[in-house]
Amino acid sequence: MEIRALFFASYKEILGTEELRVDLPSGATVADFLEELRSRGGAFTVLPEIPAVAVNMAYSDPSLALSDGDEVALIPPVAGG
Amino acid sequence: MEIRALFFASYKEILGTEELRVDLPSGATVADFLEELRSRGGAFTVLPEIPAVAVNMAYSDPSLALSDGDEVALIPPVAGG
Amino acid sequence: MTVPFTRIVKDPIDPAGLLASVGSDADGASMLFTGVVRNHNQGRVVGGVRYDVYEEMATGILAQIAEEAKQLVGIDHIAVVHRVGELTVGDVSVAIAVSSPHRAEAFEACRFIIEEIKKRLPVWKKERYGDSVEEWVEGITPVGVPTSRVGRS
Amino acid sequence: MTVPFTRIVKDPIDPAGLLASVGSDADGASMLFTGVVRNHNQGRVVGGVRYDVYEEMATGILAQIAEEAKQLVGIDHIAVVHRVGELTVGDVSVAIAVSSPHRAEAFEACRFIIEEIKKRLPVWKKERYGDSVEEWVEGITPVGVPTSRVGRS
């Protein structure tokens, strides 16, 4: 299945990109998705081990199972207001 | 000594006046002042027995000794804001 | 403008202007609280209100309250205006503007000021219901206020 | 206007207009909180800031926060606007306007909303110091947020 990965703020700068398509086996979880990113090496290893993640715009646990077409955003610590 | 007595809001309406001069013996307290008013009978007996009182614009206890020329205001329950 | 700025006024209050007056480039939070004349109270339809005031004392107490707020939270960007006289529904009766580096102080100062106004500002409100019925709104007896004396001697 | 009203915007915010939009004749208290870009942070001189945003999610979260505030205090006269993009010192970054029959609810709603924004609105702030130095402001990791899923199926 294909996941749409989004990166913002400092993560976007670290990775040099704001969006990636990530192929994952069916049944993969958020944790699997993060592991897949880290396995790419380079800047991806600089990200926090367990960053906050939003799946389809809802904050989600690493154990959540993903579905084809999900939008998964890595959320740096927020600083609004 | 002479005290300047002020009345506001409901008290002013009850008494039909907003200001009185009250003669008191030297050494009289706020409590004496209130007793003098009540002794006038009529509308004065309708006032609360111990209303809030401000002496020279500071909230004061009934035990406070007054001085000639003091301004003593009877303060109905306040409703600002 | 002295800080804190406090006034008892008879004319309409300009809340936005008051808020603008307290801000500074060092402040990250600005707050405005306004009390507004409501069209109802305790189940009755209110057409308007009239505030009576012990003006000279109220002026002093309002300054005192703002000064206490300043001491409480350590900021002096505070402005408070209370209107008296005849007001109609929707009119602003009181406006409190506070500006501070961080939000907690602004909230605390603003809340302190409105609560103290309710407790001890010598102001009284008479509500008008319908065409002719008027009643003084039940108020709060000022208590626990320090018995200090402003001497004249 | 839907209630509560919430928006993520790129243009300047009009706080006074927002406050005016939430009032009604039944409300006795109106409050406005504004977050403002400060000229300093943690001992450094700030020249301006840039807010990055996950716009679609932030729009949803802001609406969620306002809805939670509405449930919490039982009032729906709430308007919240957060600005993103380039802001300079003195610019309003967030404005929260609340109007309610009594003051306690207005204070509670206003405080709840700004605290929740700080905890979970997907917005990030980069401060500019001097001519070229820029840094992301240390933020708050969203935690304790209910793990609910907006499905696409």
Side-chain angles (χ1 to χ4, degrees):
Chain A
M1 62 186 182
E2 191 182 68
I3 300 301
R4 185 178 170 221
L6 301 180
F7 310 102
F8 296 93
S10 57
Y11 294 175
K12 178 166 66 180
E13 287 183 356
I14 290 168
L15 301 177
T17 183
E18 58 185 351
E19 184 170 347
L20 282 177
R21 302 283 159 167
V22 179
D23 270 318
L24 289 172
S26 175
T29 63
V30 169
D32 297 329
F33 161 82
L34 293 171
E35 183 51 38
E36 204 287 328
L37 288 185
R38 244 188 320 275
S39 73
R40 296 176 178 213
F44 286 98
T45 63
V46 181
L47 295 177
E49 193 140 349
I50 307 180
V53 166
V55 177
N56 300 331
M57 297 182 283
Y59 291 110
S60 301
D61 281 339
S63 61
L64 183 75
L66 296 170
S67 301
D68 186 49
D70 277 353
E71 177 174 298
V72 182
L74 269 57
I75 308 286
V78 301
Chain B
M1 63 187 183
E2 193 182 68
I3 300 301
R4 185 177 171 222
L6 300 180
F7 309 102
F8 296 93
S10 56
Y11 295 174
K12 178 166 64 180
E13 287 182 358
I14 290 169
L15 302 177
T17 183
E18 59 184 350
E19 184 169 347
L20 282 178
R21 300 283 159 170
V22 179
D23 270 319
L24 289 172
S26 175
T29 63
V30 168
D32 298 328
F33 162 82
L34 294 171
E35 183 49 37
E36 205 287 329
L37 288 183
R38 242 189 321 275
S39 73
R40 297 179 177 211
F44 286 99
T45 64
V46 182
L47 296 176
E49 193 141 352
I50 306 180
V53 165
V55 177
N56 300 331
M57 296 182 284
Y59 289 111
S60 300
D61 281 339
S63 61
L64 184 73
L66 297 171
S67 304
D68 186 48
D70 276 353
E71 177 174 299
V72 181
L74 268 58
I75 308 286
V78 301
Chain C
M1 170 171 127
T2 59
V3 286
F5 172 90
T6 55
R7 287 290 184 283
I8 303 290
V9 301
K10 293 188 179 64
D11 294 324
I13 294 173
D14 170 20
L18 200 72
L19 184 61
S21 77
V22 295
S24 93
D25 282 354
D27 292 331
S30 284
M31 274 187 85
L32 174 68
F33 174 88
T34 61
V36 183
V37 178
R38 280 184 297 159
N39 63 4
H40 66 99
N41 191 22
Q42 308 205 322
R44 294 204 279 183
V45 175
V46 175
V49 304
R50 181 168 62 81
Y51 282 97
D52 194 7
V53 61
Y54 183 2
E55 188 165 353
E56 203 180 343
M57 180 173 171
T59 300
I61 296 274
L62 201 58
Q64 230 176 61
I65 290 171
E67 182 63 30
E68 288 171 17
K70 172 184 163 179
Q71 301 295 336
L72 181 71
V73 301
I75 57 172
D76 59 4
H77 294 165
I78 295 172
V80 190
V81 179
H82 200 299
R83 187 177 170 193
V84 295
E86 295 283 346
L87 278 74
T88 189
V89 169
D91 280 351
V92 171
S93 55
V94 61
I96 303 166
V98 179
S99 188
S100 63
H102 302 284
R103 68 191 179 281
E105 291 84 354
F107 273 96
E108 191 179 359
C110 209
R111 188 66 188 263
F112 174 84
I113 290 166
I114 186 62
E115 297 302 330
E116 292 303 309
I117 284 174
K118 298 263 179 192
K119 280 185 208 159
R120 56 185 167 119
L121 193 70
V123 163
W124 302 273
K125 180 161 62 171
K126 194 171 203 178
E127 288 179 339
R128 193 179 66 245
Y129 318 100
D131 281 343
S132 59
V133 183
E134 286 192 335
E135 265 177 43
W136 291 102
V137 172
E138 202 181 334
I140 296 170
T141 300
V143 289
V145 177
T147 303
S148 63
R149 177 128 190 262
V150 180
R152 285 201 168 171
S153 54
Chain D
M1 170 170 128
T2 59
V3 286
F5 172 89
T6 55
R7 287 290 183 283
I8 303 289
V9 301
K10 292 186 179 66
D11 294 324
I13 295 172
D14 170 20
L18 201 71
L19 184 61
S21 76
V22 295
S24 94
D25 282 353
D27 292 332
S30 284
M31 274 188 85
L32 175 68
F33 174 87
T34 60
V36 183
V37 179
R38 281 185 295 160
N39 63 5
H40 66 98
N41 191 21
Q42 310 203 322
R44 295 203 279 183
V45 174
V46 175
V49 304
R50 182 168 62 82
Y51 283 96
D52 194 9
V53 60
Y54 183 2
E55 188 165 353
E56 203 180 344
M57 180 174 173
T59 298
I61 294 272
L62 202 57
Q64 229 175 61
I65 291 171
E67 182 63 29
E68 288 172 16
K70 172 184 163 179
Q71 301 294 337
L72 181 71
V73 300
I75 58 172
D76 59 4
H77 295 164
I78 294 172
V80 190
V81 179
H82 199 300
R83 187 176 170 194
V84 295
E86 296 283 344
L87 278 73
T88 188
V89 171
D91 280 351
V92 170
S93 54
V94 62
I96 303 166
V98 179
S99 189
S100 64
H102 301 284
R103 66 189 181 284
E105 292 83 354
F107 272 96
E108 191 178 358
C110 208
R111 188 66 187 264
F112 174 84
I113 290 166
I114 185 64
E115 298 302 329
E116 292 303 309
I117 284 174
K118 298 265 178 190
K119 281 185 208 158
R120 56 185 167 118
L121 192 71
V123 163
W124 302 273
K125 178 160 64 170
K126 195 171 203 179
E127 288 180 338
R128 193 180 65 245
Y129 318 100
D131 282 344
S132 58
V133 183
E134 286 193 335
E135 267 178 41
W136 292 102
V137 172
E138 201 181 332
I140 296 170
T141 301
V143 288
V145 177
T147 303
S148 65
R149 178 128 188 263
V150 181
R152 285 201 167 170
S153 55

